[in-house]
Every structure is written in C-alpha cells, then in structure tokens.
C-alpha cells in the first residue's frame, strides 16, 4: 500500500502530500468490491448523523419534549461515540477489521430500529447512545479498512472516505425529511433497513483483513495524543466541531421549517460539504498550503455562523448552506492531519483524535439550546463563532507542532503554506 510518506522525493516539501491526493483522485473509481461495500455502508453510517435534523421539531412535538431535551439525541450519540473510540482499536486488533465492522453495523441496525419504537425522549436518547456505540466501531474501523484495501494508495482512500462522509451528510437530512413527513419514527426504521443492507454487502464482499502484529490497548489512543502535532490537531478540531455541531443540531430550531423544507436546506448544505471536501479542498491546499487554508476556512466559518445568528430566515438559510463549504474544507484537512501528522499507526492516531473531537460534538447540541434559554437566540451562534476562531488560533500558535514534529517523526509535511 502506498504511504503518504513516500509521496515525493523531498520529505520536507509541503506540497508532496497534496500532489499525492490529486494523483490519487484519478484512481478513485477503480476500487475493489470490498472497498465499495465498506464505503457504501459508510455513507449510510454518516447519514445517521444528520438524519434527525429535519425531524427534530417533529420529535419534540410528538414526544412533548423541549428543544433542549431533544438535543440530547446528539449528545448521547456523540458522548458514547467519543468513549467508544478507545475501544475500536482494542476490539479490531483482536477480532479483526471485518468482524468489527459487522459488529458495529449489527448494533446500529438493532438500536436504530429500537429508536423508532420509543415512547419517550429518555428511551430515544438511550437507544441513540447504543446507536453511537455501533457507529463508532464501524466508522473508525471503516477508515482503516478503506485505507488498507483501496487501490491508488492512501490518497485515493482519504478522498473516497471523505466522499462517503459528504454524501452521507447530504442524504441523511433528505431521507429524514422524506420519511419523517409521514412520521418521525420512519427515518429510524429506514436507517435500520439500510444498515442491514450494508451488513449483507460487507459480509459478502469484504474478506478478513490482516490483524496487526501488536494488539492495541485501551490506552494506546491516549498515549498517541502525547505527540504534540496530533494533540494540536485534536484540540483545534475540538473547537471546530463545537461550531460544526451547533450548525447541525441547533439551526433546525432556528429555521423552524417543515421537514421537507429543512431537509432541502441541509441536503444543499451536504452537497456543498461533499464538493468542497473532495474537489475544492485539495486544490486550495496545493495553492496556499493546508494550514493557511484551514485557518482561513475557520475564520470564514466564524463570520458565517455569526451572520446566521443575527440574520432573518432567508439569511439564515443561505448561511446554513454556505457553512457546508467551510465545513467540507475543514473536514478534509483535519482528516489528513490526524492520519499523517504523527508516527502512530493510523487506527490508533484516528481513535485518539476522534476521542477528543467527538466530545465537542456531544457538547454543542447540549449547550446551544441552554445558552439560548439563559440569554437569547443570538448568543449560541456568537459562542460558535468564538470556538471557530479558537480553532484557528490553536493552529497558528502551535504551527510548529504541526510541521517540525511531523517531519521529525517521518510523517508527511501536510500542513504548510507557501
């Protein structure tokens, strides 16, 4: 398997890794069936994140719950996901990648189906937590499986994974709207059915992956965060993800639209996310350097959510859709940093990085509606703008950790501007 560390002759050239990504794009569609099966199931897994977006008001109405109570659907999901990241490497290094994927898919099928039978918010929140456990096992392992099995090396694998993420993020709200217009329960049943199909595809096409020579311990992802570059990427992404999930989890209450209208808005948001993550981000990185692109995108995202919070409904719709462009760019750069900035094995580095950032995904849906209750509708977006700027500040202040330590460990110089 090609490694980004071999992307060019000069390990200090900041453009080698970006060139490899553009080169890998040509082989993106020429993949084994096992990769397509895993990527297809990944699309459905990411659909589950935004699935509830257009039906949050309907769930609140159907279960006589407040916005802050319904927001716990995200908090429980991502809180369990964060802790489960410490388990993914431990499990997959013992039972193998294929069995870990199937276990994760099976858990999602069970808990997504149970979520559709809920009679109270407490039940729904609990079932979403189980769903988060399955999703963590699947998503974290899927990235490692795709990187290991993809034709064209790591560059094509990262693009394929980001494509799955973007497509899932785009289709999730659309599916939620189409099925949720009849009943808020149907999107959960629909997800369970799609994940069952993904289970069958992975079982049929994916052969067992070679297990690592050394079993991963529960503490290995935390030890990996001792690397300054990976820790910097994780902390910066923590602040960024607070902004990201304020947009994803809180904006539907601000827009206050029908499931169809809200689904259309977030579908457009997801399409922009996919296009910018796969097609635009690599070209921006080639021209300006990854860290410059990341800082610029975070600043623009901060401005966007601030305008979103203070604008009228039409402005809020435009800014919600536009945020997908900045989020798509950020997702691509952060994924590359997490996989390449340290010398830790990719699954271990990914688990440590995700352990930190998913806490923000759990915190934003919990705090945003409560901040509104304590203050007013605008302040949650002010906080989200500040966290985006903090993410950029961390990158600027710790710039050396993302470059010097990466080069010292033999990792690719992914990150620097001209």
């Amino acid at each position: 398997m090609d490694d980004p560390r071999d992307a060019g002759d000069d390990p200090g050239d900041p453009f080698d890794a970006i060139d490899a990504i553009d080169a890998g794009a040509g082989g993106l569609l020429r993949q084994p069936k096992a990769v397509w099966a895993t990527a297809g199931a990944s699309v459905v897994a990411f659909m589950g994140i935004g699935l509830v977006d257009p039906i949050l008001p309907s769930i609140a109405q159907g279960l006589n719950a407040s916005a802050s109570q319904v927001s716990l659907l995200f908090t429980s999901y991502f809180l369990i996901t964060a802790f489960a990241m410490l388990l993914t490497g431990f499990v997959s290094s013992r039972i193998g990648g294929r069995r870990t994927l199937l276990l994760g898919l099976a858990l999602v099928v069970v808990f997504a189906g149970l979520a559709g039978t809920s009679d109270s918010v407490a039940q729904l929140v609990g079932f979403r937590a189980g769903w988060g456990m399955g999703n963590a096992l699947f998503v974290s392992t899927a990235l490692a499986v795709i990187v290991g099995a993809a034709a064209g090396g790591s560059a094509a694998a990262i693009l394929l994974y980001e494509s799955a993420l973007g497509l899932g993020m785009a289709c999730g709200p659309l599916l939620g709207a189409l099925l949720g217009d009849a009943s808020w329960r149907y999107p959960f049943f629909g997800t369970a059915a799609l994940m069952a199909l993904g289970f069958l595809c992975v079982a049929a096409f994916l052969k067992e992956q070679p297990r690592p020579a050394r079993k991963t311990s529960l503490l290995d992802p935390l030890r990996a965060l001792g690397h300054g570059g990976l820790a910097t990427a994780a902390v910066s992404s923590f602040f960024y993800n607070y902004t990201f999930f304020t947009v994803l989890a809180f904006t539907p209450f601000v827009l206050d639209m029908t499931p169809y209208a809200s689904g259309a808005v977030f579908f457009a948001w997801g399409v922009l996310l996919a296009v910018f993550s796969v097609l635009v981000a690599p070209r921006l990185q080639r021209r300006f350097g990854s860290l410059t692109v990341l800082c610029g995108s975070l600043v623009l995202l901060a401005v966007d959510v601030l305008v979103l919070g203070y604008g009228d409904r039409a402005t809020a719709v435009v800014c919600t859709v536009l945020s997908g462009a900045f989020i798509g760019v950020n997702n691509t750069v952060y994924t590359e940093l997490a996989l390449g900035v340290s010398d830790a094995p990719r699954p271990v580095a990914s688990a440590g990085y995700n352990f930190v950032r998913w806490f923000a995904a759990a915190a934003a849906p919990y705090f945003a509606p409560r901040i509104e209750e304590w203050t007013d509708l605008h302040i949650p977006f002010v906080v989200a703008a500040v966290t985006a700027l903090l993410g950029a500040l961390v990158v600027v202040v710790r710039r050396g950790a993302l470059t010097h330590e990466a080069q010292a460990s033999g990792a690719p110089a992914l990150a620097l501007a001209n």
Side-chain angles (χ1 to χ4, degrees):
M1 182 182 69
D2 297 337
D3 191 293
R5 291 172 178 79
D6 302 324
D9 297 329
D10 179 7
D13 185 349
F15 300 108
D16 281 347
I18 308 307
D19 291 340
I21 288 170
D22 280 349
L28 185 65
L29 299 180
R30 298 188 294 272
Q31 301 297 336
K33 290 180 180 179
V35 172
W36 285 118
T38 306
S42 298
V43 171
V44 182
F46 287 118
M47 284 171 61
I49 295 177
L51 178 83
V52 299
D53 253 34
I55 57 172
L56 285 174
S58 299
I59 293 174
Q61 183 179 3
L63 295 178
N64 296 316
S66 65
S68 59
Q69 288 175 315
V70 172
S71 70
L72 292 175
L73 292 175
F74 284 99
T75 299
S76 64
Y77 181 89
F78 288 116
L79 192 61
I80 295 298
T81 297
F83 283 107
M85 286 299 164
L86 301 180
L87 295 172
T88 55
F90 178 87
V91 173
S92 64
S93 66
R94 284 162 175 78
I95 69 173
R98 180 176 180 273
R99 292 179 181 175
T100 303
L101 289 178
L102 293 175
L103 175 61
L105 287 167
L107 287 173
V108 173
V109 171
V110 171
F111 284 104
L114 289 173
T117 68
S118 302
D119 293 321
S120 68
V121 171
Q123 284 185 349
L124 189 53
V125 167
F127 292 141
R128 278 282 285 183
W131 185 344
M133 172 66 77
N135 217 50
L137 288 171
F138 174 80
V139 169
S140 181
T141 309
L143 177 56
V145 168
I146 290 174
V147 168
S154 298
I158 289 174
L159 282 177
L160 188 61
Y161 183 79
E162 291 297 330
S163 299
L165 187 154
L167 185 60
M169 286 290 196
C171 293
L174 191 63
L175 178 67
L178 292 174
L179 298 179
D181 188 61
S183 170
W184 65 264
R185 299 180 187 274
Y186 290 170
F188 297 107
F189 295 139
T191 299
L194 288 172
M195 287 304 257
L197 180 61
F199 181 98
L200 295 176
C201 290
V202 170
F205 297 116
L206 180 64
K207 297 180 180 179
E208 186 55 76
Q209 303 294 296
R211 301 183 192 181
R214 174 181 172 273
K215 290 183 172 64
T216 302
S217 77
L218 292 174
L219 296 180
D220 280 351
L222 298 179
R223 294 191 184 102
L225 290 170
H227 184 278
L230 184 60
T232 298
V235 171
S236 176
S237 182
F238 173 89
F239 290 117
Y240 154 65
N241 272 271
Y242 185 94
T243 308
F244 177 177
F245 285 94
T246 296
V247 173
L248 190 63
F250 184 64
T251 303
F253 293 105
V254 176
L255 297 179
D256 193 24
M257 293 177 165
T258 65
Y260 275 129
S262 182
V265 169
F266 279 96
F267 174 72
W269 168 87
V271 169
L272 213 58
L273 186 155
V275 169
F276 273 74
S277 64
V278 177
L279 300 179
V280 178
R283 287 164 174 76
L284 291 176
Q285 289 172 279
R286 173 192 286 273
R287 180 168 179 79
F288 300 107
S290 294
L291 290 191
T292 299
V293 169
L294 181 60
C295 289
S297 182
L298 287 169
V299 171
L300 291 174
L301 179 62
V303 173
D304 182 76
V305 297
L306 197 60
V307 174
L308 191 164
Y310 281 93
D312 57 18
R313 178 181 287 184
T315 302
V317 168
V318 171
C319 289
T320 299
V321 173
L322 184 60
S323 70
F326 309 126
I327 289 170
V329 170
N330 294 336
N331 284 350
T332 293
V333 178
Y334 277 121
T335 299
E336 292 172 24
L337 288 176
L339 291 181
V341 76
S342 77
D343 56 358
R346 289 187 182 92
V348 174
S350 177
Y353 162 79
N354 282 300
F355 173 71
V356 174
R357 76 182 183 109
W358 286 130
F359 276 109
Y366 177 81
F367 284 111
R370 280 160 181 76
I371 291 172
E372 182 201 8
E373 293 171 1
W374 300 331
T375 55
D376 60 47
L377 184 65
H378 309 300
I379 302 304
F381 293 100
V382 174
V383 174
V386 170
T387 55
L389 294 176
L390 286 174
L393 181 63
V394 169
V395 172
V396 172
V397 172
R398 296 282 297 168
R399 190 183 188 92
L402 291 169
T403 55
H404 301 153
E405 292 187 35
Q407 294 176 30
S409 66
L414 287 169
L416 278 215
N418 299 342

